Amino acid sequence: MLECIRECFVTSQCMAVNYRKNWKLCDVLGDLPPDKNLRNELGSIYTKVSTWNKALAGACADHQCQDGNKCEKKGGELMCTPAYCSDPAPEIPNATCIEEFGLYRSRGVGNQFKCNKGFKVIGNPFVVCNENVEWKILFCCIENTLKPMDCGDIPAQCSSEVYTIYPKTGSSFDVYCDMVTESGGWTSDNVTKFVIDADFVLKVITFVIDAVFKFKSDYIKKIAAAFVFLKSGCS
């Protein structure tokens, strides 16, 4: 509990802590938004830091840091280091946060989401406060029935990766969608990201080694060339 209080004292904008005894978990809290109310939780202790002696912060007791930082003593000097994402968490269209204790803003911590009914997830369903204390969205939610004809049909909030498109003529196929350059929606049929089954690769390597002892030099060169072709992923 005391460690929670100390962490609040050294972290900018911290006003209170919520200590969850059953989980040995400490929530460092800022001001309560006007539209939010406190909720009683079994096994939790809520306390305002103003009711405690700031001497618990040690050398950082009177050291102020900007939003998103906390005070630390390193090499005999006090400094402010990144601690949390100070900007509001991004809104994720058609998705809901499923963290049991609410959304976390700590540096390096991810928050899990799920897509709402009628939507499916593309990517990794997490929003992370990264090491640069900036929010990073790793997914998007698209309609279950969506069959994009090209990357222009992919929602703008989605990330750049491989998607399946369904042209008006012909069969569906995978393309790489650039969702960053000039507002995104750019289509490339040169899909360079691929996975090769490990057992298959081993068989190819074994085949090449066997060829060294069984075939003539010119045929070996052809086999080796074919193996390089496989590794490059060219089509």
Side-chain angles (χ1 to χ4, degrees):
M1 181 70 177
L2 290 179
E3 185 59 30
C4 286
I5 301 299
R6 181 189 177 282
E7 189 68 16
C8 185
F9 271 123
V10 301
T11 302
S12 65
Q13 303 302 312
C14 180
M15 305 297 292
V17 300
N18 186 39
Y19 178 62
R20 305 176 191 275
K21 296 185 295 183
N22 296 339
W23 294 274
K24 298 293 188 292
L25 182 66
C26 181
D27 298 331
V28 177
L29 309 172
D31 277 328
L32 187 69
D35 60 336
K36 300 292 183 180
N37 296 312
L38 291 175
R39 182 182 66 187
N40 289 326
E41 291 182 356
L42 186 65
S44 295
I45 300 174
Y46 173 86
T47 180
K48 291 185 176 181
V49 73
S50 58
T51 63
W52 295 79
N53 190 331
K54 69 177 183 180
L56 287 170
C60 288
D62 297 309
H63 192 79
Q64 299 296 317
C65 292
Q66 293 182 338
D67 288 5
N69 292 271
K70 71 176 183 179
C71 173
E72 290 186 333
K73 188 174 183 180
K74 293 183 178 180
E77 296 184 4
L78 296 179
M79 58 182 64
C80 294
T81 59
Y84 65 93
C85 285
S86 56
D87 292 333
E91 293 288 335
I92 312 297
N94 309 307
T96 302
C97 180
I98 57 174
E99 292 295 335
E100 183 176 0
F101 301 128
L103 191 139
Y104 290 96
R105 299 164 63 189
S106 302
R107 180 188 184 194
V109 174
N111 297 275
Q112 189 171 10
F113 282 70
K114 70 174 182 180
C115 293
N116 298 338
K117 185 177 181 180
F119 293 82
K120 61 183 177 182
V121 65
I122 299 294
N124 223 347
F126 285 87
V127 174
V128 179
C129 177
N130 66 19
E131 292 300 314
N132 297 320
V133 290
E134 297 173 342
W135 290 109
K136 178 70 174 178
I137 303 170
L138 305 181
F139 77 105
C140 68
C141 295
I142 65 173
E143 294 179 68
N144 286 330
T145 56
L146 177 65
K147 290 190 174 183
M149 290 190 294
D150 57 36
C151 293
D153 293 334
I154 302 296
Q157 71 269 16
C158 292
S159 59
S160 298
E161 57 181 276
V162 176
Y163 293 86
T164 301
I165 64 170
Y166 304 81
K168 288 184 177 180
T169 59
S171 303
S172 62
F173 59 94
D174 290 344
V175 297
Y176 182 78
C177 293
D178 178 356
M179 303 303 294
V180 177
T181 305
E182 297 183 2
S183 299
W186 297 94
T187 305
S188 171
D189 59 4
N190 183 22
V191 181
T192 57
K193 296 182 179 179
F194 60 93
V195 178
I196 299 175
D197 181 80
D199 289 336
F200 177 70
V201 173
L202 181 59
K203 289 178 182 178
V204 173
I205 294 173
T206 303
F207 181 74
V208 173
I209 293 174
D210 289 343
V212 173
F213 301 99
K214 295 181 180 179
F215 301 100
K216 295 182 180 179
S217 177
D218 58 341
Y219 192 63
I220 293 172
K221 291 178 181 178
K222 290 180 182 179
I223 296 296
F227 183 55
V228 172
F229 178 85
L230 174 65
K231 289 178 63 182
S232 68
C234 299
S235 57

